[in-house]
């Protein structure tokens, strides 16, 4: 199994990370690569596609996820093999790990490093924004009002809206 780890600055709490990660249908489309989830009965099918310069990586499989302080882990099982995204909230940092048990996994180092770093950045920023904006929001995710609006909250509210819509 090949793995790559990325460390991302994170000023949020584990609870806010879990609040975001608990709904992969909202989180995965926020990743900076193509990630599509489809519910099929009690299963969630995931399709990932990373294309950058000469780098190409596609993966399809069934998504399972689990939480256990301080970890959040997504396990994707497909015909190609196994792909795991794991995140751990530590003091001031978020450790993101991308692991693959796929044929030709040695050639995946750069792709796994990209998946870990970019997924970690997205989860960290979304969790920080959720933590800052959610307590001030009243209403449903699509029809809400912000209490005690402060202009410094605007980036966090934009991320919150992007996540929920």
């Amino acid at each position: 199994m090949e793995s790559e780890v990325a460390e991302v600055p994170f000023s949020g709490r584990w609870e806010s990370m879990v609040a975001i990660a608990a709904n992969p249908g909202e989180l995965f489309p926020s990743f900076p690569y193509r990630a599509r989830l489809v519910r099929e009965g009690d299963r969630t099918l995931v399709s990932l596609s990373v294309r950058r310069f000469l780098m190409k990586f596609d993966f399809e499989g069934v998504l399972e996820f689990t939480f256990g302080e301080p970890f959040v882990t997504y396990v994707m099982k497909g015909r190609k093999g196994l792909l795991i995204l794991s995140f751990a909230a530590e003091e001031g940092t978020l450790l993101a790990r991308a692991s693959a048990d796929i044929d030709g996994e040695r050639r995946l180092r750069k792709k796994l490093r990209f998946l870990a770093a970019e997924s970690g950045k997205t989860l960290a920023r979304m969790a920080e924004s959720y933590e800052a904006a959610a307590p001030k929001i009243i209403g449903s995710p699509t029809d809400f009002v912000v209490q005690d609006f402060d202009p410094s909250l605007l980036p966090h509210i934009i991320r919150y809206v992007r996540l929920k819509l």
Side-chain angles (χ1 to χ4, degrees), residues 139-156:
S140 71
T142 57
D143 185 23
F144 62 88
V145 175
V146 179
Q147 283 183 312
D148 302 326
F149 180 75
D150 179 11
S152 66
L153 278 179
L154 192 57
H156 299 296

Side-chain angles (χ1 to χ4, degrees), residues 35-82:
R36 197 172 57 102
L37 277 83
V38 176
R39 295 279 307 159
E40 198 175 86
D42 61 342
R43 299 181 336 159
T44 302
L45 304 177
V46 65
S47 171
L48 302 177
S49 180
V50 177
R51 298 180 196 287
R52 296 191 57 207
F53 308 116
L54 300 176
M55 183 173 75
K56 177 184 173 190
F57 176 69
D58 294 315
F59 187 86
E60 292 181 355
V62 176
L63 176 70
E64 298 173 5
F65 59 95
T66 185
F67 309 105
E69 192 168 350
F71 296 100
V72 172
T73 304
Y74 295 105
V75 178
M76 294 160 266
K77 299 174 185 174
R79 277 183 258 127
K80 286 184 175 181
L82 189 66

Side-chain angles (χ1 to χ4, degrees), residues 76-139:
M76 294 160 266
K77 299 174 185 174
R79 277 183 258 127
K80 286 184 175 181
L82 189 66
L83 181 66
I84 301 169
L85 291 176
S86 182
F87 306 96
E90 293 186 349
E91 192 73 29
T93 61
L94 181 110
L95 291 175
R97 176 185 303 268
S99 305
D101 189 6
I102 298 173
D103 289 338
E105 62 193 34
R106 293 257 184 235
R107 296 185 314 260
L108 295 177
R109 293 200 98 149
K110 286 184 180 179
K111 296 167 184 90
L112 291 175
R113 190 174 308 127
F114 175 80
L115 282 170
E118 297 305 317
S119 301
K121 285 178 195 173
T122 300
L123 180 58
R125 298 299 82 81
M126 291 297 187
E128 290 168 349
S129 291
Y130 177 83
E131 192 170 310
K136 296 188 179 270
I137 292 178
I138 298 172

Side-chain angles (χ1 to χ4, degrees), residues 6-51:
E7 193 171 302
V8 178
F10 181 57
S11 62
R13 295 187 330 259
W14 182 76
E15 293 83 5
S16 59
M17 184 177 77
V18 169
I20 295 300
N23 193 345
E26 291 178 352
L27 177 64
F28 273 52
S30 299
F31 287 152
Y33 47 86
R34 190 177 71 76
R36 197 172 57 102
L37 277 83
V38 176
R39 295 279 307 159
E40 198 175 86
D42 61 342
R43 299 181 336 159
T44 302
L45 304 177
V46 65
S47 171
L48 302 177
S49 180
V50 177
R51 298 180 196 287

